[in-house]
Amino acid sequence: MDFNQFVDEVKGGIKQFLPIEYEDAQVRIEEIKKLNENYLGITVLKENQVIAPTFNLNQLYEMYQSNPEVSMESIMKNITGVMLDSPKQFDLKNITEYENAKDKLFIRVSSAERNQEILQKVPHQIKEDLAITYHLAISVDDIGRGSTTITNDMLTHYGISEKQLHADAMKNSPKIMPLYVDAMKNIIAQIIVGEDKPVMQDKDLKDMKEVISEGLKEGEPMFVITNQQTMDGASAIFYPEVMKQLGECFQGDFFILPSSIHETIVLPDKGDFDYLSLKSMVQEININQVLKEEQLTSDVYHYDAKQRVFERADKFEKRQKVIQMNKNEKVGREQKMEHPKPKKHDMEL
């Protein structure tokens, strides 16, 4: 069965798995453009229903093709189960009224270059070549997360500024998607023993110093920054005070590698690593190990702990060269300004 046949079968058969009240429901198949990915989605709307979950048909087809245990019937039952359960979890006021919505705000980070079209329609902040966008968590559980993206129209409806939106999202993100930090070797060990996703323990910002201190003592230079759900966890590096705390843990500057949209890797800048070699490593990993829709960027970033500046590593290096050049010029000027002392001459009387 090819993808088009799969789509037709889901569209034509989904109502057979739904209660009688869905008999006259509208089944929509449309292209969905989201951050980092486009896909064909299916939505089933009853009469007078304003909002309903949209299912990624490309993802469902991939599951159907790759796993012999996944049948068309199981896919249909999965879709209808979520559809019938979502009204119980969802209250429209959680989206339309800002006082209810603001406590459900969280941030995501993505490539600004690859998401230019989407970014024109949504409030966002640019951090170098990364874009921070704002989202509402409709539901968060062990299986996944239902969410919606804040658009410019929604911001206008709320009657608030982007500054207020950003402040509320930054405040609530660590509560909705709590920070998780672990040594890289622990993550790798969990993958080797067969865990598809590392099990995130209940660690938050207050545990960061302990995790990094233990890792450094054991000779581990790399640490993973994500959230406990390990989903869109690259944004956790931008949580309030996280970079400042990391600078304190490393007792100085550090590099930030964009592993994927789900996590970043940090390592101290002690002169052991050249940013070009780190960038080459990120590029290679993106090509060979990270799905295109999950790639963040191929750049390497740097945090100046003294100046509290987040920037691309190449910009940091250029800035340091300028600073050093200015110092050299200053020293040179000071040396020129020192007039030689007059020599003493012997005088005979």
Side-chain angles (χ1 to χ4, degrees):
M1 183 187 299
D2 65 23
F3 179 63
N4 290 331
Q5 292 172 325
F6 175 82
V7 172
D8 289 340
E9 189 160 337
V10 174
K11 182 180 179 180
I14 189 65
K15 287 187 184 180
Q16 299 174 23
F17 291 82
L18 288 165
I20 189 67
E21 59 262 30
Y22 281 86
E23 184 178 7
D24 297 322
Q26 181 184 10
V27 180
R28 293 181 185 173
I29 303 291
E30 56 187 338
E31 184 182 4
I32 306 297
K33 294 184 177 181
K34 300 186 72 175
L35 290 170
N36 303 307
E37 65 174 332
N38 296 339
Y39 61 85
L40 203 64
I42 182 170
T43 309
V44 183
L45 281 169
K46 292 190 296 183
E47 189 177 1
N48 300 322
Q49 190 175 2
V50 178
I51 191 168
T54 297
F55 298 87
N56 186 330
L57 288 168
N58 298 75
Q59 192 175 68
L60 292 172
Y61 180 66
E62 185 179 336
M63 289 169 54
Y64 176 73
Q65 287 287 90
S66 61
N67 189 344
E69 295 182 4
V70 176
S71 64
M72 286 301 300
E73 183 179 359
S74 66
I75 286 175
M76 298 290 201
K77 287 181 177 179
N78 180 276
I79 292 174
T80 54
V82 174
M83 283 176 54
L84 297 175
D85 193 47
S86 61
K88 302 172 188 176
Q89 301 180 22
F90 179 73
D91 184 349
L92 194 58
K93 290 181 181 179
N94 290 337
I95 287 182
T96 58
E97 297 179 7
Y98 188 67
E99 282 305 307
N100 294 327
K102 68 179 183 180
D103 292 334
K104 298 172 179 61
L105 284 168
F106 68 96
I107 63 170
R108 281 179 176 153
V109 64
S110 59
S111 164
E113 182 181 356
R114 291 208 305 271
N115 293 284
Q116 292 181 38
E117 185 178 349
I118 296 292
L119 294 177
Q120 292 176 12
K121 303 174 184 178
V122 303
H124 62 277
Q125 279 198 8
I126 299 295
K127 301 289 186 181
E128 292 296 354
D129 52 357
L130 300 173
I132 293 176
T133 50
Y134 310 99
H135 308 262
L136 288 176
I138 307 303
S139 63
V140 179
D141 53 37
D142 294 335
I143 298 174
R145 178 188 60 219
S147 66
T148 188
T149 304
I150 300 294
T151 64
N152 293 333
D153 290 341
M154 290 174 69
L155 188 66
T156 301
H157 172 78
Y158 290 149
I160 61 166
S161 65
E162 285 193 34
K163 183 177 179 181
Q164 182 65 54
L165 179 72
H166 180 80
D168 289 336
M170 295 299 283
K171 176 183 176 183
N172 287 296
S173 289
K175 300 175 185 176
I176 294 171
M177 313 292 278
L179 178 75
Y180 180 81
V181 183
D182 205 350
M184 173 64 87
K185 66 178 182 180
N186 294 338
I187 301 294
I188 293 173
Q190 289 168 331
I191 293 172
I192 289 173
V193 298
E195 294 178 5
D196 292 334
K197 278 191 175 183
V199 177
M200 300 292 103
Q201 301 171 8
D202 188 18
K203 288 182 178 290
D204 54 26
L205 191 57
K206 69 177 182 294
D207 298 305
M208 184 186 292
K209 289 183 179 179
E210 181 182 353
V211 170
I212 292 179
S213 176
E214 289 177 359
L216 292 175
K217 285 178 183 176
E218 295 172 3
E220 172 59 49
M222 292 187 175
F223 299 85
V224 174
I225 309 295
T226 184
N227 55 43
Q228 290 182 11
Q229 290 81 9
T230 64
M231 183 168 27
D232 293 312
S235 59
I237 194 71
F238 291 106
Y239 285 2
E241 301 297 303
V242 166
M243 283 191 248
K244 177 177 178 290
Q245 291 274 351
L246 283 167
E248 292 172 357
C249 292
F250 291 135
Q251 297 182 351
D253 299 359
F254 58 91
F255 290 106
I256 302 165
L257 311 185
S259 177
S260 77
I261 60 172
H262 301 303
E263 68 279 309
T264 57
I265 298 169
V266 295
L267 62 158
D269 179 11
K270 302 295 185 183
D272 301 325
F273 297 95
D274 170 71
Y275 91 88
L276 287 174
S277 62
L278 292 174
K279 183 172 182 176
S280 178
M281 181 178 73
V282 171
Q283 291 172 336
E284 184 178 347
I285 290 173
N286 277 342
I287 293 170
N288 298 316
Q289 299 183 33
V290 184
L291 295 173
K292 187 175 180 180
E293 62 268 21
E294 295 187 352
Q295 292 175 14
L296 197 50
T297 73
S298 292
D299 282 312
V300 171
Y301 305 92
H302 186 277
Y303 183 74
D304 184 331
K306 186 175 181 181
Q307 299 295 325
R308 297 187 67 174
V309 175
F310 167 84
E311 60 196 332
R312 284 205 326 257
D314 60 321
K315 284 189 175 181
F316 170 75
E317 187 167 283
K318 289 177 183 176
R319 188 163 60 86
Q320 294 306 108
K321 287 180 180 178
V322 171
I323 291 171
Q324 188 59 49
M325 204 185 319
N326 290 337
K327 283 182 179 179
N328 292 341
E329 288 178 0
K330 183 179 179 182
V331 170
R333 286 196 301 269
E334 289 175 350
Q335 288 177 343
K336 288 179 182 179
M337 289 174 64
E338 290 181 0
H339 297 291
K341 295 179 181 180
K343 293 182 180 179
K344 292 182 180 179
H345 297 280
D346 292 332
M347 297 182 66
E348 291 182 3
L349 298 175

